[in-house]
Amino acid sequence: MPAPLSPAPTVPAELIAALQTLLGPKGWSMDASVLEQHNREARGKFTGAADIVLYPASTDEVAACVRLCHRAAIALVPQGGNTGRCGGAVADNGQILINLGRMNQIINTDARDFTMTVQAGTILHTIQQTAENHDLLFPLSLGAQGSCQIGGNLATNAGGLNVIRYGNTRDLVLGLEVVLADGTIWNGLSKLRKDNTGYDLRDLFIGSEGTLGIITACTLKLFPRPRQIATAWVALESVDAALDLLALARRESGDAIAAFELMSQFAQDLCIRHIQNCTTPLQTVAPWYAMIEITSSRPHDDLTTVMHGLLERALESGFISDGTIAQSEAQRANLWALREGIPPAQTREGGSIKHDVSVPVSSVPALIERGIAQALKRIPGIRPCPFGHVGDGNIHFNFSQPVDMPREVFLAQWENLNRDIHDIVADLGGSISAEHGIGRLKVEELAHYADPAKMQLLKAIKQAIDPQNTLNPGKIVNPA
Ligand SMILES: Cc1cc2nc3c(=O)[nH]c(=O)nc-3n(C[C@H](O)[C@H](O)[C@H](O)COP(=O)(O)OP(=O)(O)OC[C@H]3O[C@@H](n4cnc5c(N)ncnc54)[C@H](O)[C@@H]3O)c2cc1C
C-alpha cells in the first residue's frame, strides 16, 4: 500500500494576520479568482498553489514582509508580470507570492546622464514610452513588453529583439536596489558607468530569478532615439546563407543592425494561417526567411538606400533569392506581426515542444540540421518550427506535433526531445537556456549539463546569501 501523503504545508495564520496588518487592505489578496490568475503559469506546465499574494507598495514594505517571513521560515516567491517561460514565478503550497505590480513609479529620467530610475514593478512598455517622451530610447524589446515588469526582466536577464545591437538586460542596467533574504535593503542604485570596488553584486542579482533577493528598483541606461529605420524581409535557400547575409549586413550597414530574425517557411505559413491580417511579404516561396532591421539616430541618414544596396549585393552574391523593404509603418508592422505571431500561431496549431537555446553564431546551421534530423528520428512526422534571434545564436527551436498524433502522446515526449536537442547544443558548445532562464523547468537540465565547478559555486552562492532557503526555493539550483 502506498504511504499516506503528509499534509500539505500551510502558511501559519499568525503570519498571514501580521502581513495583512502590515500591508493594509490593498496590500494582499486571498480571493480565489485573483489567486487563480497569479498561480496560473502561461504555458500550463506548472500550477501554483499559493493561498495568499502580497502587493507591497514600497521597498520598506517589501523589506518588512521579508523580515516577517524570514522569522517564520516561510518561503517567498517574487512575481512580476508572470510572463516567464520557465515556471520561476510559481509558488508551492505553504509559500507566499509577492507581486511587485504596485511598485510602478518612474522615479526620475535624466537626459544628461542618459539614465532612468524606476521601481521594479514598472511595466516594460511604460519605460519604453517614458524614454520616448524624453526623445530617448530604452532598447529592451520583447513580445511580452505590455505586461512584463522590469524587475522580472532583470531577474531573468531577458534578451529579446535588440540584443545584437544593445545587449541583454544585464547590459542595460547601472544600479539596483535589492531586499535580501533577511529583509536587509542593499542600496546599489548607482548611476556610475565605472565602479571597480569589489565583487559585482549588481551582476549577481541580475539573472538570479528571485533566488538571491527581491529587486525593488533599478537605474537603467538610455540611448539616443533612432530617427531612421529600415526593415526588410528576405527569402533564403539555407540557414548557412542567413549567416553570410548577417555578416554582409553588419559590414554594409556599419553595424547598424538592430534586429536580425530568422524563421522557417513553416513558421511563416503558421502565422498567415492563424494570425489575423498577416500577409505574405514576398511571392517567392523559400525554405527560410529573415527579417533585418537597421536603425540610426542620425536624422539625415538614408537607411532605405543603405538597405537597397545591401539587398542588391546579397542578391548578386546568391545569399538571398528575393527581398522587400517596408515602405510604410503599416508594412513594417506586418513584418513584425509575422515574426511575433509565431508563438501564438504555434499554440493555435496544436501541441508544441520548445527549446530556448544558443550556440556560437557560426554553429546555428549545424544545430538546426542535426536537431531536425534527430527530432524526425524520434517522432516521425514532427513539424520543426525553428525561429529566433539568429544574430545572437539564439534559436527558439520549437516543434509542432505531427498532424495525426494526439496532443498528449506528442507532449509525453517533451523530456526525451529536450534531451536530444540539449545534447546537440552541448556538443556545439552552446547553452540550454539562452534567454528565458532556468526557473523550475530546467533545474535538472542545468545540473546535468553544467560544469561541476559551476554547480558547486552556484550552490555556495545560494547558501551564503539565502542560508534558510526562503527566497524562491526549488528554482535554478537546490542548495542541498
Ligand atoms: C509573448 C512572449 C514573448 C516573450 N519574449 C521573450 C524574449 O524575446 N526574450 C526573453 O528573454 N523573454 C521573453 N519572454 C519571457 C518573459 O517575458 C521574460 O522572461 C520576462 O523578463 C519576465 O518578466 P515578468 O515580469 O513577467 O517576470 P515573472 O514571469 O513574473 O518572473 C520571472 C522570474 O523572475 C522573478 N522575479 C520577478 N520579479 C522579480 C523581482 N522584482 N525581484 C526578483 N525576482 C523577480 C520570478 O520569481 C521568476 O523567477 C516572452 C514571454 C512571452 C509571454
Side-chain angles (χ1 to χ4, degrees), residues 77-85 88-89 100 120 141-144 147-153 155-161 209-210 213-216 389 396 435-436 472:
V77 177
Q79 187 177 73
N82 199 17
T83 67
R85 307 314 252 167
L100 280 283
S141 170
L142 43 113
S147 48
C148 63
Q149 299 174 7
I150 191 68
N153 303 145
T156 56
N157 184 27
L161 299 160
E209 300 183 48
I214 302 181
I215 299 167
T216 45
H389 322 299
H396 295 304
E435 61 176 7
H436 291 164
N472 215 0

